[in-house]
Amino acid sequence: MISVQLTQQHFWQNSVEGYIIPLKSNLEPLSADAALTHIEEKHYPHLKEVLKKHQFEGDKGQSFTLSAKQGDALVQYIFVGVGSMQGAWHQELETLRRAVATGIHIVKKNYLKDAVVALPAGSLFDMSDDELAKQITILAHMASYEFSSFKSDKKKKPSWAGTLSIASKVATSGAIDQGNIIGSAINQARHWADLPANHMTPTVLAGEAQKVASKHGFKITILGRKEALELNMGGFCAVDAGSDQEGKFVVIEYKTTTPNAPTIALCGKGVMFDTGGINLKPTSGISGMKFDMSGAAAVITVMDVIGQLKPTINVIGLTPLVENMPSGKASRPDDVITCMNGKTVEIQNTDAEGRLILSDTLCYAEKFFKPAVMLDIATLTGAVQHALGHFYTGVMTKDDALAQALLAMGRKTGDRTWQLPMDDDFKGAIRSEVADIHNNGSSAYYAGTIVGATFLSNFVESARWAHLDIAGTAHDVPAINYVGKGSTGAGIRLLVEFVMNFPG
Ligand code: BES
Ligand code: ZN
Ligand code: MN
């Protein structure tokens, strides 16, 4: 656990155990406040020589730690390289995130109780100083996350807890407070997603949603199997049917005090475990399916952030929570179901379950809340990993302004997005012989990610809508040091940015 705070003292005036010092290729500091001259004068007259001797040249990914005595205190100077900083602002912002994350990892590994980092000028990254302070605060939380619930040797080795001070004369503590709120929410969602399905059932996650709602005085509705059936949520019920764990359909409502404000609906796929159902996944594809509720975890924690940051629009969070299991009660391939809007769906593959539960979720959102905009976030298709890999969430929408907003917000927040097309040509892929549509997608069309989005488009009537496929970004992302193994909290930074800066 980390807590981040503002310090208005100069970088070197802070008495802390660790100094995180980002340096460029020529050993120039990224922030003038953290120039090396101070250490050179006081502790290491030949500092640059020492760094060069140890091959530290400020390259991206490099780090080097020097210990020193300051009076009685033992301190660590943690140098982290950011390279030449000549790329586009959003790429270099990401470089900075990873360099600071490297520093925090060293702080954490050495159980330092506190550290300081100087805030570079926001203008270097095309943003305000406050915005940069917020980004670094969020990063600090993400970098210090660990999932150790089931490690029984915690007595011997307690989890690290410490404080990071961000030194700046211009940033405000309000910006850092916001970062703390968003960063903690991300780690909360990661914790829920990292919990395996025997600990994280629909009932458990609905209980967490209830806690969020109670904390902020939000109205919350939790439908069970019976209520979902009464509302003709055929998609939800078809997936829920196979499990001994009863599914829960959760609706959380945030109402702004701003009059005549528009409503945004956030819909998050919550499959607590996706076995594939009767179309059982092979062993190689089934592990990791505890993460199939990452969209729902994101939406619930975003509602928690909203309760604290209070945007000037209404936001409804909707999460269908189910477990996709094979059993005597499970839906079969060839079954035909009727969704909430009356459309019939031929289930060709019980493993394409996410779109079945989201169909009713989108219908429900429009029917009861008439949102101006709906965003859904889902680990929907393995295909998106082939299309975009692990670093970009797939965005699909026919609304260009919405797409542009989500792409720009992805660059700023580091929660990167990339658009895939959504032409009507793809509709042929889900044409059914026996029902209105089928859920599998014809293999002749390929593009499984776009076909999934095309399926969902059948359940959107008049709201502006975008679909976010996080199957590649939600967990086990390689090479990004501040997410590590397990859940990443994909989409949370993006959704918070969206609701706080709703483009209208
Ligand atoms: N939850 C999976 C998608 C997924 C796959 C997420 C790999 C993360 C990693 C989803 O429910 C699924 O099974 N999709 C099928 C769709 C197909 C049957 C049309 C897929 O991607 O194979
Ligand atoms: Zn799934
Ligand atoms: Mn599936």
Side-chain angles (χ1 to χ4, degrees), residues 269 271 274 281 289 292 351 353-354 379-380:
K269 171 178 172 180
V271 176
D274 181 10
K281 284 184 186 290
M289 282 303 138
D292 214 19
D351 197 10
E353 84 297 340
T379 46
L380 205 74

Side-chain angles (χ1 to χ4, degrees), residues 210 213 218-223 249-253 317 364 369:
Q210 174 74 65
F218 294 162
K219 180 174 175 197
I220 181 167
T221 308
I222 302 178
L223 310 177
F249 186 88
V250 180
V251 185
I252 311 172
E253 302 174 39
Y364 188 103
F369 300 103

Side-chain angles (χ1 to χ4, degrees), residues 449-469:
T449 305
I450 302 170
V451 172
T454 305
F455 180 94
L456 294 177
S457 72
N458 278 278
F459 303 91
V460 181
E461 195 124 333
S462 55
R464 300 172 63 191
W465 164 70
H467 162 61
L468 301 168
D469 194 332

Side-chain angles (χ1 to χ4, degrees), residues 394-414:
V395 173
M396 282 142 279
T397 179
K398 284 188 169 178
D399 186 315
D400 282 340
L402 213 45
Q404 288 314 312
L406 289 164
L407 294 179
M409 291 172 181
R411 278 193 290 274
K412 180 171 167 190
T413 58

Side-chain angles (χ1 to χ4, degrees), residues 197 271-292 324-326 351 475-476:
V271 176
M272 313 313 289
F273 195 87
D274 181 10
T275 66
I278 297 299
N279 293 99
L280 193 63
K281 284 184 186 290
T283 299
S284 60
I286 207 166
S287 59
M289 282 303 138
K290 68 172 180 178
F291 296 113
D292 214 19
N324 188 22
M325 297 290 274
D351 197 10
H475 60 93
D476 298 315

